[in-house]
Short mmCIF file of all heavy atoms in Angstrom, two decimals:
data_model
loop_
_atom_site.label_atom_id
_atom_site.label_comp_id
_atom_site.label_asym_id
_atom_site.label_seq_id
_atom_site.Cartn_x
_atom_site.Cartn_y
_atom_site.Cartn_z
N ILE A 145 -4.16 5.49 -4.64
CA ILE A 145 -5.10 6.26 -3.86
C ILE A 145 -4.67 6.14 -2.40
O ILE A 145 -4.41 5.03 -1.86
CB ILE A 145 -6.55 5.66 -3.97
CG1 ILE A 145 -6.91 5.64 -5.44
CG2 ILE A 145 -7.51 6.52 -3.15
CD1 ILE A 145 -8.26 4.90 -5.71
N THR A 146 -4.53 7.29 -1.71
CA THR A 146 -3.99 7.30 -0.34
C THR A 146 -4.91 7.99 0.64
O THR A 146 -5.73 8.88 0.24
CB THR A 146 -2.59 7.94 -0.34
OG1 THR A 146 -2.65 9.18 -1.03
CG2 THR A 146 -1.54 7.06 -0.96
N PRO A 147 -4.82 7.61 1.94
CA PRO A 147 -5.64 8.20 2.99
C PRO A 147 -5.02 9.43 3.58
O PRO A 147 -3.87 9.81 3.19
CB PRO A 147 -5.76 7.06 3.98
CG PRO A 147 -4.39 6.47 3.92
CD PRO A 147 -3.95 6.58 2.47
N TRP A 148 -5.65 10.07 4.55
CA TRP A 148 -5.19 11.32 5.16
C TRP A 148 -4.36 11.06 6.39
O TRP A 148 -3.72 11.98 6.88
CB TRP A 148 -6.40 12.17 5.55
CG TRP A 148 -7.41 11.40 6.30
CD1 TRP A 148 -8.57 10.85 5.79
CD2 TRP A 148 -7.44 11.09 7.68
NE1 TRP A 148 -9.25 10.19 6.81
CE2 TRP A 148 -8.62 10.29 7.96
CE3 TRP A 148 -6.58 11.31 8.74
CZ2 TRP A 148 -8.87 9.80 9.23
CZ3 TRP A 148 -6.85 10.83 10.01
CH2 TRP A 148 -8.00 10.07 10.24
N ASN A 149 -4.29 9.84 6.96
CA ASN A 149 -3.66 9.69 8.26
C ASN A 149 -2.15 9.75 8.19
O ASN A 149 -1.48 10.11 9.18
CB ASN A 149 -4.20 8.49 9.06
CG ASN A 149 -3.94 7.15 8.39
OD1 ASN A 149 -3.66 7.13 7.17
ND2 ASN A 149 -3.96 6.12 9.16
N PHE A 150 -1.58 9.27 7.06
CA PHE A 150 -0.11 9.45 6.81
C PHE A 150 0.01 10.01 5.42
O PHE A 150 0.36 9.32 4.48
CB PHE A 150 0.60 8.07 6.96
CG PHE A 150 0.69 7.60 8.36
CD1 PHE A 150 -0.24 6.69 8.92
CD2 PHE A 150 1.70 8.08 9.23
CE1 PHE A 150 -0.16 6.28 10.24
CE2 PHE A 150 1.77 7.66 10.57
CZ PHE A 150 0.82 6.76 11.08
N MET A 154 2.28 7.21 3.16
CA MET A 154 1.48 6.31 2.32
C MET A 154 1.75 6.59 0.81
O MET A 154 1.65 5.68 -0.04
CB MET A 154 -0.02 6.54 2.60
CG MET A 154 -0.47 6.22 3.94
SD MET A 154 -0.23 4.44 4.36
CE MET A 154 0.99 4.55 5.58
N ARG A 157 5.33 5.06 -0.07
CA ARG A 157 5.29 3.58 0.05
C ARG A 157 4.69 2.96 -1.20
O ARG A 157 4.95 1.78 -1.46
CB ARG A 157 4.47 3.24 1.34
CG ARG A 157 4.79 1.87 1.89
CD ARG A 157 4.19 1.71 3.28
NE ARG A 157 2.75 1.36 3.18
CZ ARG A 157 2.03 1.06 4.27
NH1 ARG A 157 2.56 1.17 5.45
NH2 ARG A 157 0.77 0.73 4.16
N LYS A 172 -3.93 9.93 -6.47
CA LYS A 172 -4.99 10.78 -5.86
C LYS A 172 -4.87 10.67 -4.35
O LYS A 172 -5.25 9.68 -3.77
CB LYS A 172 -6.40 10.38 -6.28
CG LYS A 172 -7.42 11.50 -5.91
CD LYS A 172 -8.80 10.98 -5.63
CE LYS A 172 -8.95 10.34 -4.30
NZ LYS A 172 -8.82 11.27 -3.17
N PRO A 173 -4.38 11.72 -3.70
CA PRO A 173 -4.32 11.65 -2.23
C PRO A 173 -5.66 11.98 -1.62
O PRO A 173 -6.61 12.39 -2.35
CB PRO A 173 -3.31 12.76 -1.89
CG PRO A 173 -3.45 13.77 -2.98
CD PRO A 173 -3.87 13.01 -4.23
N SER A 174 -5.79 11.87 -0.36
CA SER A 174 -7.02 12.17 0.30
C SER A 174 -7.36 13.72 0.13
O SER A 174 -6.50 14.55 0.13
CB SER A 174 -6.91 11.90 1.84
OG SER A 174 -8.02 12.51 2.51
N GLU A 175 -8.66 13.93 -0.01
CA GLU A 175 -9.09 15.33 -0.19
C GLU A 175 -8.86 16.15 1.07
O GLU A 175 -8.84 17.39 1.03
CB GLU A 175 -10.62 15.40 -0.52
CG GLU A 175 -11.57 14.65 0.44
CD GLU A 175 -11.67 13.14 0.13
OE1 GLU A 175 -10.71 12.51 -0.35
OE2 GLU A 175 -12.77 12.60 0.41
N TYR A 176 -8.51 15.48 2.22
CA TYR A 176 -8.27 16.23 3.47
C TYR A 176 -6.78 16.65 3.51
O TYR A 176 -6.45 17.56 4.28
CB TYR A 176 -8.61 15.40 4.69
CG TYR A 176 -10.06 15.04 4.78
CD1 TYR A 176 -10.53 13.78 4.48
CD2 TYR A 176 -10.99 16.04 5.06
CE1 TYR A 176 -11.89 13.48 4.46
CE2 TYR A 176 -12.33 15.78 5.09
CZ TYR A 176 -12.79 14.50 4.79
OH TYR A 176 -14.11 14.23 4.83
N THR A 203 -9.55 14.87 -6.47
CA THR A 203 -10.99 14.92 -6.74
C THR A 203 -11.68 14.97 -5.37
O THR A 203 -11.16 14.43 -4.41
CB THR A 203 -11.51 13.71 -7.52
OG1 THR A 203 -11.58 12.53 -6.68
CG2 THR A 203 -10.71 13.45 -8.81
N PRO A 205 -15.67 14.49 -4.15
CA PRO A 205 -15.18 13.39 -3.37
C PRO A 205 -14.33 12.42 -4.15
O PRO A 205 -14.13 12.55 -5.39
CB PRO A 205 -16.47 12.66 -2.93
CG PRO A 205 -17.41 12.91 -4.11
CD PRO A 205 -17.08 14.30 -4.57
N GLY A 206 -13.77 11.40 -3.41
CA GLY A 206 -12.86 10.42 -4.04
C GLY A 206 -13.56 9.61 -5.12
O GLY A 206 -12.91 9.11 -6.05
N ASP A 207 -14.88 9.45 -5.04
CA ASP A 207 -15.61 8.56 -6.00
C ASP A 207 -15.32 8.94 -7.45
O ASP A 207 -15.36 8.09 -8.35
CB ASP A 207 -17.13 8.72 -5.79
CG ASP A 207 -17.55 8.73 -4.40
OD1 ASP A 207 -16.82 9.22 -3.55
OD2 ASP A 207 -18.62 8.16 -4.15
N VAL A 208 -15.11 10.28 -7.68
CA VAL A 208 -14.91 10.73 -9.08
C VAL A 208 -13.71 10.05 -9.62
O VAL A 208 -13.70 9.59 -10.81
CB VAL A 208 -14.71 12.31 -9.10
CG1 VAL A 208 -14.39 12.79 -10.46
CG2 VAL A 208 -15.95 12.98 -8.50
N PHE A 209 -12.67 9.97 -8.82
CA PHE A 209 -11.45 9.27 -9.29
C PHE A 209 -11.67 7.77 -9.49
O PHE A 209 -11.28 7.23 -10.47
CB PHE A 209 -10.33 9.55 -8.25
CG PHE A 209 -8.98 9.06 -8.68
CD1 PHE A 209 -8.20 9.80 -9.59
CD2 PHE A 209 -8.43 7.84 -8.18
CE1 PHE A 209 -6.98 9.34 -9.99
CE2 PHE A 209 -7.17 7.43 -8.59
CZ PHE A 209 -6.43 8.16 -9.54
N GLY A 210 -12.36 7.19 -8.51
CA GLY A 210 -12.65 5.78 -8.54
C GLY A 210 -13.36 5.40 -9.84
O GLY A 210 -12.96 4.42 -10.56
N GLU A 211 -14.45 6.13 -10.19
CA GLU A 211 -15.23 5.79 -11.41
C GLU A 211 -14.33 5.96 -12.61
O GLU A 211 -14.38 5.08 -13.51
CB GLU A 211 -16.40 6.76 -11.55
CG GLU A 211 -17.60 6.31 -10.78
CD GLU A 211 -18.69 7.42 -10.78
OE1 GLU A 211 -18.79 8.12 -11.80
OE2 GLU A 211 -19.33 7.59 -9.75
N ILE A 213 -11.01 5.75 -13.01
CA ILE A 213 -9.94 4.81 -13.24
C ILE A 213 -10.49 3.39 -13.46
O ILE A 213 -9.87 2.56 -14.19
CB ILE A 213 -8.87 4.75 -12.09
CG1 ILE A 213 -9.59 4.49 -10.71
CG2 ILE A 213 -8.07 6.06 -12.07
CD1 ILE A 213 -8.61 3.93 -9.74
N LEU A 214 -11.62 3.05 -12.90
CA LEU A 214 -12.19 1.75 -13.07
C LEU A 214 -12.62 1.53 -14.54
O LEU A 214 -12.48 0.47 -15.10
CB LEU A 214 -13.37 1.50 -12.15
CG LEU A 214 -13.01 1.26 -10.68
CD1 LEU A 214 -14.26 1.18 -9.82
CD2 LEU A 214 -12.16 0.04 -10.47
N PHE A 224 -4.33 0.81 -3.38
CA PHE A 224 -5.26 1.61 -2.53
C PHE A 224 -4.89 1.40 -1.07
O PHE A 224 -4.69 0.30 -0.62
CB PHE A 224 -6.71 1.17 -2.79
CG PHE A 224 -7.70 1.76 -1.85
CD1 PHE A 224 -8.12 3.10 -2.02
CD2 PHE A 224 -8.22 1.07 -0.75
CE1 PHE A 224 -9.05 3.66 -1.13
CE2 PHE A 224 -9.13 1.65 0.11
CZ PHE A 224 -9.58 2.95 -0.07
N THR A 225 -4.84 2.49 -0.32
CA THR A 225 -4.81 2.46 1.13
C THR A 225 -5.94 3.25 1.63
O THR A 225 -6.14 4.43 1.30
CB THR A 225 -3.49 2.97 1.71
OG1 THR A 225 -2.44 2.19 1.19
CG2 THR A 225 -3.50 2.88 3.20
N GLY A 226 -6.78 2.66 2.48
CA GLY A 226 -7.98 3.40 3.04
C GLY A 226 -8.89 2.39 3.69
O GLY A 226 -8.47 1.32 4.19
N SER A 227 -10.21 2.75 3.70
CA SER A 227 -11.13 1.92 4.44
C SER A 227 -11.47 0.63 3.67
O SER A 227 -11.37 0.59 2.46
CB SER A 227 -12.42 2.74 4.67
OG SER A 227 -12.97 3.09 3.40
N THR A 228 -11.93 -0.30 4.46
CA THR A 228 -12.31 -1.62 3.85
C THR A 228 -13.51 -1.40 2.91
O THR A 228 -13.59 -2.03 1.86
CB THR A 228 -12.61 -2.62 4.95
OG1 THR A 228 -11.42 -2.83 5.70
CG2 THR A 228 -13.10 -3.96 4.41
N ARG A 229 -14.42 -0.48 3.27
CA ARG A 229 -15.59 -0.23 2.46
C ARG A 229 -15.22 0.20 1.02
O ARG A 229 -15.63 -0.37 0.06
CB ARG A 229 -16.44 0.80 3.16
CG ARG A 229 -17.69 1.23 2.35
CD ARG A 229 -18.45 2.42 2.99
NE ARG A 229 -17.67 3.65 2.93
CZ ARG A 229 -17.57 4.45 1.89
NH1 ARG A 229 -18.23 4.17 0.75
NH2 ARG A 229 -16.87 5.55 1.89
N VAL A 230 -14.29 1.16 0.95
CA VAL A 230 -13.88 1.66 -0.35
C VAL A 230 -13.06 0.60 -1.08
O VAL A 230 -13.16 0.41 -2.33
CB VAL A 230 -13.21 3.04 -0.28
CG1 VAL A 230 -12.66 3.47 -1.65
CG2 VAL A 230 -14.11 4.09 0.33
N GLY A 231 -12.23 -0.08 -0.31
CA GLY A 231 -11.38 -1.12 -0.88
C GLY A 231 -12.22 -2.19 -1.58
O GLY A 231 -11.93 -2.66 -2.69
N TYR A 233 -15.25 -1.85 -2.79
CA TYR A 233 -15.82 -1.25 -4.01
C TYR A 233 -14.82 -1.28 -5.16
O TYR A 233 -15.14 -1.68 -6.29
CB TYR A 233 -16.25 0.18 -3.69
CG TYR A 233 -16.42 1.07 -4.88
CD1 TYR A 233 -17.58 0.98 -5.70
CD2 TYR A 233 -15.41 1.97 -5.27
CE1 TYR A 233 -17.75 1.79 -6.80
CE2 TYR A 233 -15.59 2.76 -6.39
CZ TYR A 233 -16.70 2.64 -7.14
OH TYR A 233 -16.86 3.46 -8.31
N LEU A 234 -13.57 -0.90 -4.89
CA LEU A 234 -12.58 -0.90 -5.92
C LEU A 234 -12.27 -2.26 -6.42
O LEU A 234 -12.05 -2.52 -7.62
CB LEU A 234 -11.30 -0.18 -5.44
CG LEU A 234 -11.47 1.33 -5.18
CD1 LEU A 234 -10.22 1.91 -4.49
CD2 LEU A 234 -11.67 2.07 -6.49
N MET A 247 -4.42 -3.82 -1.78
CA MET A 247 -5.32 -3.20 -0.89
C MET A 247 -4.77 -3.19 0.53
O MET A 247 -4.49 -4.26 1.09
CB MET A 247 -6.70 -3.97 -0.85
CG MET A 247 -7.42 -3.99 -2.13
SD MET A 247 -8.28 -2.43 -2.40
CE MET A 247 -8.22 -2.28 -4.19
N GLU A 248 -4.56 -1.98 1.06
CA GLU A 248 -4.12 -1.80 2.43
C GLU A 248 -5.29 -1.21 3.18
O GLU A 248 -5.57 0.01 3.03
CB GLU A 248 -2.89 -0.93 2.52
CG GLU A 248 -1.63 -1.40 1.82
CD GLU A 248 -0.98 -2.53 2.58
OE1 GLU A 248 -1.15 -2.64 3.86
OE2 GLU A 248 -0.23 -3.33 2.00
N LEU A 249 -6.05 -2.02 3.93
CA LEU A 249 -7.37 -1.53 4.43
C LEU A 249 -7.41 -1.38 5.97
O LEU A 249 -6.34 -1.32 6.60
CB LEU A 249 -8.44 -2.54 3.95
CG LEU A 249 -8.40 -2.79 2.40
CD1 LEU A 249 -9.42 -3.79 1.98
CD2 LEU A 249 -8.53 -1.48 1.58
N GLY A 250 -8.52 -1.38 6.49
CA GLY A 250 -8.72 -1.00 7.89
C GLY A 250 -8.20 -2.10 8.81
O GLY A 250 -7.90 -3.22 8.45
N GLY A 251 -8.07 -1.76 10.12
CA GLY A 251 -7.57 -2.74 11.09
C GLY A 251 -8.46 -2.71 12.34
O GLY A 251 -9.34 -1.84 12.47
N GLN A 280 -5.22 7.57 15.27
CA GLN A 280 -5.67 7.42 13.88
C GLN A 280 -4.66 6.69 13.00
O GLN A 280 -4.22 7.28 11.96
CB GLN A 280 -6.01 8.79 13.29
CG GLN A 280 -7.02 9.56 14.10
CD GLN A 280 -7.11 11.00 13.63
OE1 GLN A 280 -8.09 11.42 13.09
NE2 GLN A 280 -6.09 11.79 13.92
N THR A 281 -4.22 5.55 13.43
CA THR A 281 -3.32 4.75 12.53
C THR A 281 -4.02 3.37 12.34
O THR A 281 -4.76 2.89 13.24
CB THR A 281 -1.93 4.52 13.16
OG1 THR A 281 -2.02 3.49 14.19
CG2 THR A 281 -1.32 5.79 13.73
N CYS A 282 -3.80 2.80 11.21
CA CYS A 282 -4.47 1.52 10.86
C CYS A 282 -4.00 0.41 11.75
O CYS A 282 -4.73 -0.57 11.96
CB CYS A 282 -4.22 1.22 9.37
SG CYS A 282 -2.53 1.28 8.96
N VAL A 283 -2.80 0.57 12.31
CA VAL A 283 -2.22 -0.53 13.13
C VAL A 283 -2.39 -0.24 14.63
O VAL A 283 -1.83 -0.96 15.49
CB VAL A 283 -0.72 -0.77 12.86
CG1 VAL A 283 -0.57 -1.43 11.48
CG2 VAL A 283 0.07 0.52 12.92
N HIS A 326 -11.67 15.49 11.49
CA HIS A 326 -12.78 16.42 11.21
C HIS A 326 -13.91 16.20 12.21
O HIS A 326 -13.87 15.24 13.04
CB HIS A 326 -13.31 16.34 9.77
CG HIS A 326 -13.52 14.93 9.29
ND1 HIS A 326 -14.19 13.96 10.00
CD2 HIS A 326 -13.16 14.35 8.12
CE1 HIS A 326 -14.21 12.81 9.30
NE2 HIS A 326 -13.56 13.03 8.18
N GLU A 382 -13.47 -0.30 13.95
CA GLU A 382 -12.23 0.40 14.03
C GLU A 382 -12.53 1.81 14.63
O GLU A 382 -13.41 2.54 14.08
CB GLU A 382 -11.62 0.59 12.64
CG GLU A 382 -10.30 1.22 12.55
CD GLU A 382 -9.76 1.26 11.07
OE1 GLU A 382 -10.64 1.44 10.16
OE2 GLU A 382 -8.57 1.28 10.86
N PHE A 384 -10.37 4.55 15.40
CA PHE A 384 -9.66 5.67 14.76
C PHE A 384 -9.78 6.96 15.59
O PHE A 384 -10.11 8.02 15.08
CB PHE A 384 -10.14 5.91 13.36
CG PHE A 384 -9.08 5.71 12.30
CD1 PHE A 384 -8.41 4.48 12.29
CD2 PHE A 384 -8.77 6.68 11.38
CE1 PHE A 384 -7.36 4.30 11.37
CE2 PHE A 384 -7.72 6.49 10.51
CZ PHE A 384 -7.06 5.27 10.47
N LEU A 410 -4.99 -6.90 10.43
CA LEU A 410 -3.77 -6.20 10.04
C LEU A 410 -2.66 -6.33 11.07
O LEU A 410 -1.67 -7.00 10.78
CB LEU A 410 -4.19 -4.66 9.85
CG LEU A 410 -3.06 -3.75 9.32
CD1 LEU A 410 -2.51 -4.23 8.03
CD2 LEU A 410 -3.60 -2.34 9.18
N PHE A 448 4.33 -4.98 5.06
CA PHE A 448 3.30 -4.40 5.82
C PHE A 448 1.99 -4.70 5.03
O PHE A 448 1.78 -4.09 3.99
CB PHE A 448 3.54 -2.91 5.88
CG PHE A 448 2.63 -2.17 6.86
CD1 PHE A 448 3.08 -1.75 8.06
CD2 PHE A 448 1.28 -1.84 6.50
CE1 PHE A 448 2.25 -1.07 8.94
CE2 PHE A 448 0.49 -1.15 7.32
CZ PHE A 448 0.97 -0.73 8.54
N GLY A 449 1.17 -5.57 5.57
CA GLY A 449 -0.07 -5.89 4.86
C GLY A 449 -1.01 -6.66 5.75
O GLY A 449 -0.59 -7.28 6.71
N GLY A 450 -2.27 -6.66 5.35
CA GLY A 450 -3.29 -7.26 6.20
C GLY A 450 -3.83 -8.62 5.69
O GLY A 450 -3.82 -8.84 4.50
N SER A 454 -8.53 -6.94 6.00
CA SER A 454 -7.58 -5.85 6.10
C SER A 454 -6.72 -5.67 4.85
O SER A 454 -5.84 -4.76 4.81
CB SER A 454 -6.62 -5.99 7.30
OG SER A 454 -7.39 -5.83 8.51
N GLU A 459 3.07 -4.05 1.39
CA GLU A 459 3.95 -2.99 0.95
C GLU A 459 5.21 -3.00 1.84
O GLU A 459 5.21 -3.49 2.95
CB GLU A 459 3.27 -1.60 1.05
CG GLU A 459 2.12 -1.48 0.10
CD GLU A 459 1.42 -0.17 0.18
OE1 GLU A 459 1.46 0.51 1.21
OE2 GLU A 459 0.81 0.20 -0.86
P1 NAD B 501 -11.30 6.26 2.93
O1 NAD B 501 -11.47 4.90 2.41
O2 NAD B 501 -12.44 7.12 3.24
O3 NAD B 501 -10.43 7.12 1.85
C1 NAD B 501 -9.19 6.68 1.38
C2 NAD B 501 -8.94 7.29 0.00
O4 NAD B 501 -9.90 6.74 -0.89
C3 NAD B 501 -9.10 8.85 -0.01
O5 NAD B 501 -8.17 9.33 -0.90
C4 NAD B 501 -10.54 8.98 -0.61
O6 NAD B 501 -10.72 10.18 -1.25
C5 NAD B 501 -10.49 7.84 -1.57
N1 NAD B 501 -11.88 7.32 -1.97
C6 NAD B 501 -13.00 7.37 -1.24
N2 NAD B 501 -14.04 6.84 -1.96
C7 NAD B 501 -13.46 6.45 -3.15
C8 NAD B 501 -13.95 5.82 -4.30
N3 NAD B 501 -15.27 5.47 -4.40
N4 NAD B 501 -13.12 5.55 -5.32
C9 NAD B 501 -11.82 5.86 -5.24
N5 NAD B 501 -11.29 6.50 -4.17
C10 NAD B 501 -12.09 6.78 -3.12
O7 NAD B 501 -10.29 6.11 4.17
P2 NAD B 501 -9.68 7.31 5.02
O8 NAD B 501 -10.74 7.78 5.98
O9 NAD B 501 -9.02 8.34 4.19
O10 NAD B 501 -8.49 6.53 5.81
C11 NAD B 501 -8.73 5.84 6.98
C12 NAD B 501 -8.80 4.32 6.70
O11 NAD B 501 -7.57 3.94 6.07
C13 NAD B 501 -8.88 3.51 7.94
O12 NAD B 501 -9.74 2.46 7.74
C14 NAD B 501 -7.44 2.97 8.12
O13 NAD B 501 -7.34 1.79 8.85
C15 NAD B 501 -7.05 2.78 6.64
N6 NAD B 501 -5.57 2.74 6.55
C16 NAD B 501 -4.99 1.53 6.28
C17 NAD B 501 -3.58 1.45 6.14
C18 NAD B 501 -2.93 0.15 5.85
O14 NAD B 501 -1.69 0.16 5.55
N7 NAD B 501 -3.61 -0.99 5.92
C19 NAD B 501 -2.84 2.61 6.32
C20 NAD B 501 -3.47 3.79 6.63
C21 NAD B 501 -4.88 3.89 6.72
#
Side-chain angles (χ1 to χ4, degrees):
I145 305 171
T146 49
W148 49 264
N149 64 339
F150 287 97
M154 295 298 113
R157 202 168 81 177
K172 193 209 78 65
S174 168
E175 54 276 29
Y176 297 106
T203 73
D207 316 35
V208 176
F209 188 77
E211 274 171 38
I213 57 158
L214 288 175
F224 172 77
T225 299
S227 62
T228 297
R229 180 186 65 80
V230 176
Y233 159 78
L234 291 171
M247 296 282 150
E248 297 285 339
L249 308 178
Q280 303 169 110
T281 76
C282 50
V283 289
H326 46 47
E382 185 179 30
F384 242 55
L410 186 55
F448 189 104
S454 290
E459 295 181 334

